[in-house]
PDB file of all heavy atoms in Angstrom:
ATOM      1  N   GLY B  16       7.686  -3.065 -30.199  1.00 83.00           N
ATOM      2  CA  GLY B  16       8.225  -2.700 -31.514  1.00 83.00           C
ATOM      3  C   GLY B  16       7.513  -1.507 -32.115  1.00 83.00           C
ATOM      4  O   GLY B  16       8.142  -0.625 -32.725  1.00 83.00           O
ATOM      5  N   MET B  17       6.207  -1.445 -31.912  1.00 84.00           N
ATOM      6  CA  MET B  17       5.434  -0.356 -32.502  1.00 84.00           C
ATOM      7  C   MET B  17       5.867   0.982 -31.912  1.00 84.00           C
ATOM      8  O   MET B  17       5.964   1.983 -32.610  1.00 84.00           O
ATOM      9  CB  MET B  17       3.953  -0.587 -32.231  1.00 84.00           C
ATOM     10  CG  MET B  17       3.104  -0.477 -33.467  1.00 84.00           C
ATOM     11  SD  MET B  17       1.605  -1.441 -33.311  1.00 84.00           S
ATOM     12  CE  MET B  17       0.644  -0.456 -32.197  1.00 84.00           C
ATOM     13  N   PHE B  18       6.111   0.960 -30.618  1.00 85.00           N
ATOM     14  CA  PHE B  18       6.519   2.208 -29.983  1.00 85.00           C
ATOM     15  C   PHE B  18       7.907   2.634 -30.465  1.00 85.00           C
ATOM     16  O   PHE B  18       8.138   3.818 -30.760  1.00 85.00           O
ATOM     17  CB  PHE B  18       6.506   2.044 -28.458  1.00 85.00           C
ATOM     18  CG  PHE B  18       6.845   3.307 -27.738  1.00 85.00           C
ATOM     19  CD1 PHE B  18       5.905   4.309 -27.601  1.00 85.00           C
ATOM     20  CD2 PHE B  18       8.112   3.515 -27.220  1.00 85.00           C
ATOM     21  CE1 PHE B  18       6.223   5.486 -26.953  1.00 85.00           C
ATOM     22  CE2 PHE B  18       8.432   4.688 -26.573  1.00 85.00           C
ATOM     23  CZ  PHE B  18       7.483   5.672 -26.446  1.00 85.00           C
ATOM     24  N   ARG B  19       8.826   1.659 -30.604  1.00 87.00           N
ATOM     25  CA  ARG B  19      10.172   1.989 -31.096  1.00 87.00           C
ATOM     26  C   ARG B  19      10.095   2.610 -32.478  1.00 87.00           C
ATOM     27  O   ARG B  19      10.740   3.631 -32.759  1.00 87.00           O
ATOM     28  CB  ARG B  19      11.044   0.726 -31.142  1.00 87.00           C
ATOM     29  CG  ARG B  19      11.485   0.205 -29.800  1.00 87.00           C
ATOM     30  CD  ARG B  19      12.710  -0.694 -29.948  1.00 87.00           C
ATOM     31  NE  ARG B  19      12.521  -1.725 -30.957  1.00 87.00           N
ATOM     32  CZ  ARG B  19      11.964  -2.920 -30.716  1.00 87.00           C
ATOM     33  NH1 ARG B  19      11.546  -3.201 -29.509  1.00 87.00           N
ATOM     34  NH2 ARG B  19      11.833  -3.813 -31.684  1.00 87.00           N
ATOM     35  N   ALA B  20       9.280   1.997 -33.339  1.00 87.00           N
ATOM     36  CA  ALA B  20       9.152   2.510 -34.709  1.00 87.00           C
ATOM     37  C   ALA B  20       8.620   3.939 -34.700  1.00 87.00           C
ATOM     38  O   ALA B  20       9.113   4.809 -35.430  1.00 87.00           O
ATOM     39  CB  ALA B  20       8.227   1.598 -35.511  1.00 87.00           C
ATOM     40  N   GLY B  21       7.635   4.183 -33.837  1.00 86.00           N
ATOM     41  CA  GLY B  21       7.048   5.521 -33.760  1.00 86.00           C
ATOM     42  C   GLY B  21       8.065   6.550 -33.313  1.00 86.00           C
ATOM     43  O   GLY B  21       8.207   7.621 -33.912  1.00 86.00           O
ATOM     44  N   VAL B  22       8.810   6.223 -32.262  1.00 87.00           N
ATOM     45  CA  VAL B  22       9.794   7.163 -31.735  1.00 87.00           C
ATOM     46  C   VAL B  22      10.893   7.407 -32.771  1.00 87.00           C
ATOM     47  O   VAL B  22      11.323   8.542 -32.994  1.00 87.00           O
ATOM     48  CB  VAL B  22      10.392   6.645 -30.412  1.00 87.00           C
ATOM     49  CG1 VAL B  22      11.547   7.517 -29.954  1.00 87.00           C
ATOM     50  CG2 VAL B  22       9.324   6.610 -29.340  1.00 87.00           C
ATOM     51  N   ARG B  23      11.307   6.320 -33.427  1.00 88.00           N
ATOM     52  CA  ARG B  23      12.355   6.440 -34.441  1.00 88.00           C
ATOM     53  C   ARG B  23      11.911   7.412 -35.545  1.00 88.00           C
ATOM     54  O   ARG B  23      12.682   8.289 -35.960  1.00 88.00           O
ATOM     55  CB  ARG B  23      12.630   5.069 -35.053  1.00 88.00           C
ATOM     56  CG  ARG B  23      13.890   4.986 -35.860  1.00 88.00           C
ATOM     57  CD  ARG B  23      13.975   3.615 -36.518  1.00 88.00           C
ATOM     58  NE  ARG B  23      14.857   2.691 -35.826  1.00 88.00           N
ATOM     59  CZ  ARG B  23      16.187   2.660 -36.043  1.00 88.00           C
ATOM     60  NH1 ARG B  23      16.738   3.478 -36.883  1.00 88.00           N
ATOM     61  NH2 ARG B  23      16.938   1.818 -35.400  1.00 88.00           N
ATOM     62  N   ALA B  24      10.664   7.285 -35.961  1.00 87.00           N
ATOM     63  CA  ALA B  24      10.151   8.157 -37.018  1.00 87.00           C
ATOM     64  C   ALA B  24      10.099   9.606 -36.540  1.00 87.00           C
ATOM     65  O   ALA B  24      10.459  10.533 -37.267  1.00 87.00           O
ATOM     66  CB  ALA B  24       8.765   7.689 -37.440  1.00 87.00           C
ATOM     67  N   GLU B  25       9.690   9.791 -35.302  1.00 85.00           N
ATOM     68  CA  GLU B  25       9.563  11.152 -34.767  1.00 85.00           C
ATOM     69  C   GLU B  25      10.921  11.824 -34.588  1.00 85.00           C
ATOM     70  O   GLU B  25      11.073  13.026 -34.818  1.00 85.00           O
ATOM     71  CB  GLU B  25       8.859  11.114 -33.402  1.00 85.00           C
ATOM     72  CG  GLU B  25       7.363  10.897 -33.491  1.00 85.00           C
ATOM     73  CD  GLU B  25       6.760  10.639 -32.126  1.00 85.00           C
ATOM     74  OE1 GLU B  25       7.498  10.657 -31.114  1.00 85.00           O
ATOM     75  OE2 GLU B  25       5.554  10.395 -32.083  1.00 85.00           O
ATOM     76  N   LEU B  26      11.897  11.015 -34.145  1.00 86.00           N
ATOM     77  CA  LEU B  26      13.185  11.608 -33.795  1.00 86.00           C
ATOM     78  C   LEU B  26      14.126  11.717 -34.991  1.00 86.00           C
ATOM     79  O   LEU B  26      15.081  12.498 -34.954  1.00 86.00           O
ATOM     80  CB  LEU B  26      13.879  10.770 -32.708  1.00 86.00           C
ATOM     81  CG  LEU B  26      13.201  10.718 -31.347  1.00 86.00           C
ATOM     82  CD1 LEU B  26      14.038   9.903 -30.381  1.00 86.00           C
ATOM     83  CD2 LEU B  26      12.979  12.119 -30.798  1.00 86.00           C
ATOM     84  N   GLY B  27      13.859  10.902 -36.007  1.00 82.00           N
ATOM     85  CA  GLY B  27      14.786  10.762 -37.132  1.00 82.00           C
ATOM     86  C   GLY B  27      15.319  12.070 -37.672  1.00 82.00           C
ATOM     87  O   GLY B  27      16.501  12.167 -38.029  1.00 82.00           O
ATOM     88  N   ALA B  28      14.494  13.091 -37.725  1.00 83.00           N
ATOM     89  CA  ALA B  28      14.912  14.345 -38.330  1.00 83.00           C
ATOM     90  C   ALA B  28      15.881  15.122 -37.438  1.00 83.00           C
ATOM     91  O   ALA B  28      16.597  15.995 -37.912  1.00 83.00           O
ATOM     92  CB  ALA B  28      13.684  15.203 -38.631  1.00 83.00           C
ATOM     93  N   HIS B  29      15.890  14.815 -36.140  1.00 85.00           N
ATOM     94  CA  HIS B  29      16.645  15.649 -35.211  1.00 85.00           C
ATOM     95  C   HIS B  29      17.886  14.981 -34.636  1.00 85.00           C
ATOM     96  O   HIS B  29      18.860  15.640 -34.334  1.00 85.00           O
ATOM     97  CB  HIS B  29      15.745  16.085 -34.053  1.00 85.00           C
ATOM     98  CG  HIS B  29      14.451  16.678 -34.508  1.00 85.00           C
ATOM     99  ND1 HIS B  29      14.352  17.986 -34.919  1.00 85.00           N
ATOM    100  CD2 HIS B  29      13.215  16.144 -34.634  1.00 85.00           C
ATOM    101  CE1 HIS B  29      13.098  18.226 -35.275  1.00 85.00           C
ATOM    102  NE2 HIS B  29      12.394  17.134 -35.114  1.00 85.00           N
ATOM    103  N   VAL B  30      17.818  13.659 -34.447  1.00 87.00           N
ATOM    104  CA  VAL B  30      18.954  12.959 -33.842  1.00 87.00           C
ATOM    105  C   VAL B  30      19.230  11.694 -34.638  1.00 87.00           C
ATOM    106  O   VAL B  30      18.429  11.289 -35.478  1.00 87.00           O
ATOM    107  CB  VAL B  30      18.663  12.582 -32.371  1.00 87.00           C
ATOM    108  CG1 VAL B  30      18.389  13.808 -31.529  1.00 87.00           C
ATOM    109  CG2 VAL B  30      17.505  11.599 -32.291  1.00 87.00           C
ATOM    110  N   ASP B  31      20.398  11.082 -34.399  1.00 86.00           N
ATOM    111  CA  ASP B  31      20.714   9.801 -35.020  1.00 86.00           C
ATOM    112  C   ASP B  31      20.263   8.684 -34.097  1.00 86.00           C
ATOM    113  O   ASP B  31      20.789   8.557 -32.988  1.00 86.00           O
ATOM    114  CB  ASP B  31      22.234   9.677 -35.215  1.00 86.00           C
ATOM    115  CG  ASP B  31      22.662  10.258 -36.541  1.00 86.00           C
ATOM    116  OD1 ASP B  31      21.792  10.366 -37.435  1.00 86.00           O
ATOM    117  OD2 ASP B  31      23.842  10.612 -36.681  1.00 86.00           O
ATOM    118  N   VAL B  32      19.297   7.904 -34.550  1.00 87.00           N
ATOM    119  CA  VAL B  32      18.926   6.732 -33.767  1.00 87.00           C
ATOM    120  C   VAL B  32      19.882   5.620 -34.167  1.00 87.00           C
ATOM    121  O   VAL B  32      19.768   5.036 -35.243  1.00 87.00           O
ATOM    122  CB  VAL B  32      17.456   6.337 -34.010  1.00 87.00           C
ATOM    123  CG1 VAL B  32      17.102   5.115 -33.178  1.00 87.00           C
ATOM    124  CG2 VAL B  32      16.534   7.496 -33.664  1.00 87.00           C
ATOM    125  N   VAL B  33      20.870   5.344 -33.309  1.00 88.00           N
ATOM    126  CA  VAL B  33      21.945   4.423 -33.700  1.00 88.00           C
ATOM    127  C   VAL B  33      21.585   2.966 -33.452  1.00 88.00           C
ATOM    128  O   VAL B  33      22.293   2.066 -33.898  1.00 88.00           O
ATOM    129  CB  VAL B  33      23.265   4.758 -32.971  1.00 88.00           C
ATOM    130  CG1 VAL B  33      23.786   6.107 -33.417  1.00 88.00           C
ATOM    131  CG2 VAL B  33      23.057   4.713 -31.462  1.00 88.00           C
ATOM    132  N   GLY B  34      20.515   2.726 -32.763  1.00 87.00           N
ATOM    133  CA  GLY B  34      20.167   1.336 -32.543  1.00 87.00           C
ATOM    134  C   GLY B  34      18.957   1.217 -31.650  1.00 87.00           C
ATOM    135  O   GLY B  34      18.500   2.200 -31.053  1.00 87.00           O
TER     136      GLY B  34
END
Side-chain angles (χ1 to χ4, degrees):
Chain B
M17 230 154 74
F18 183 78
R19 287 201 309 273
V22 172
R23 194 185 260 275
E25 284 171 1
L26 295 182
H29 309 279
V30 300
D31 272 339
V32 180
V33 294

